[in-house]
């Protein structure tokens, strides 16, 4: 098998040429990784609403390759990369860590000075250029990941090495949806053991938030969603009760507070 290290790779990618227009499967050229960069073979990628939001937006950065929730295998690494090697299984993380700035060294923040999310940056930090092109025309990156491509180039600080036994088709959602919801509960909300928690919206992020509340020891987890069919799935992630705002003629926050009050009164 011919080595692709140091060579331009031609592969397929879903390219957004204009805002709101259907993505087009194109053959793109993916340049080798430069210093502190890693080229990854993407095996599985999922769709997050953030991709849709910026695809719909009247953003000047087109053409562009979206995608940020994925799993893949390292194909090659650039100069200075010591934490990863070809063959490693990785998840892209759009809010990366340089591990050296004040934010990365703080337990209270993950807004890295170097790699904090910047949706307006469509190029690599190393040289201000894209690693994607079609017939010499640059194709912009998205949040440093661009996983809607069979190969992509990512800063090493935006990759998390994982156990190769973990199924990439499932753990790919850990790179955004699950970590977002779980982290919001455990690292930001920090519910006390025995507390009552309400989770608004039971999509991937909401289910992960409910799981975080369960791990934290919340005694009651109220799932709030307009789709009542989601409650059965939410039970698997710790939800104990369900509220559909369409079933009430008052703000759902008042409904949740009333549920909590009646429960406390019943206990007393």
């Amino acid at each position: 098998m011919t080595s692709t290290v140091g060579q331009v790779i031609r592969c397929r990618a879903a390219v957004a040429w204009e805002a709101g227009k259907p993505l087009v499967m194109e053959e793109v050229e993916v340049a080798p990784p430069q210093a502190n960069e890693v080229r990854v073979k993407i095996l599985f990628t999922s769709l997050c609403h953030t991709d849709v939001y910026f695809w719909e937006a009247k953003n000047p950065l087109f053409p562009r390759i979206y995608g940020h929730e994925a799993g893949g295998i390292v194909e090659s690494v650039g100069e200075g990369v010591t934490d990863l090697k070809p063959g490693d299984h990785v998840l892209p993380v759009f809010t990366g860590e340089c591990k050296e700035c004040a934010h990365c060294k703080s337990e209270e923040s993950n807004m890295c000075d170097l790699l904090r999310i910047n949706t307006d940056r469509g190029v690599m930090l190393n040289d201000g250029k894209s690693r994607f092109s079609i017939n010499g025309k640059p194709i912009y990156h998205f949040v440093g990941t661009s996983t809607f491509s069979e190969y992509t180039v990512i800063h090493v600080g935006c990759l998390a090495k994982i156990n190769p036994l973990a199924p990439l088709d499932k753990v790919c959602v850990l790179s955004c949806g699950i970590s977002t919801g779980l982290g919001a509960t455990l690292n930001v909300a920090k519910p006390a053991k025995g507390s009552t928690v309400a989770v608004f919206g039971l999509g991937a992020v909401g289910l992960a938030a409910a799981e975080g509340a369960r791990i934290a020891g919340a005694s009651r987890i109220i799932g709030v969603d307009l789709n009542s069919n989601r409650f059965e799935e939410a039970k698997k992630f710790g939800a104990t009760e369900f509220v559909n705002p369409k079933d009430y003629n008052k703000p759902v926050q008042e409904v949740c507070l009333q549920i909590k009050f009646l429960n406390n009164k019943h206990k007393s």
Side-chain angles (χ1 to χ4, degrees), residues 177 180-182 185 199-212 221 223 225 234 237:
T180 298
L182 197 72
T185 303
V199 177
F200 290 77
L202 296 174
V205 174
L207 292 176
E211 176 70 7
I221 303 171
D225 201 290
F237 293 83

Side-chain angles (χ1 to χ4, degrees), residues 10-28:
R10 293 179 179 273
C11 68
R12 293 180 303 166
V15 178
W17 289 98
E18 296 180 59
K21 297 294 179 66
L23 306 186
V24 180
M25 292 302 299
E26 304 276 13
E27 182 179 79
V28 300

Side-chain angles (χ1 to χ4, degrees), residues 211-267:
E211 176 70 7
R214 184 195 66 78
I215 293 173
S219 60
R220 302 176 69 218
I221 303 171
I222 305 171
V224 181
D225 201 290
L226 296 173
N227 185 352
S228 298
N229 294 329
R230 289 184 169 182
F231 185 47
E232 285 304 312
E233 189 68 22
K235 285 181 179 179
K236 301 175 184 177
F237 293 83
T240 58
E241 295 157 69
F242 181 80
V243 173
N244 189 330
K246 293 189 294 186
D247 295 337
Y248 300 88
N249 58 3
K250 56 184 175 180
V252 70
Q253 292 90 337
E254 293 182 14
V255 177
C256 292
L257 287 173
Q258 184 177 14
I259 291 174
K260 180 179 180 181
F261 172 76
L262 290 176
N263 185 70
N264 292 338
K265 184 176 181 181
H266 176 71
K267 286 183 178 179

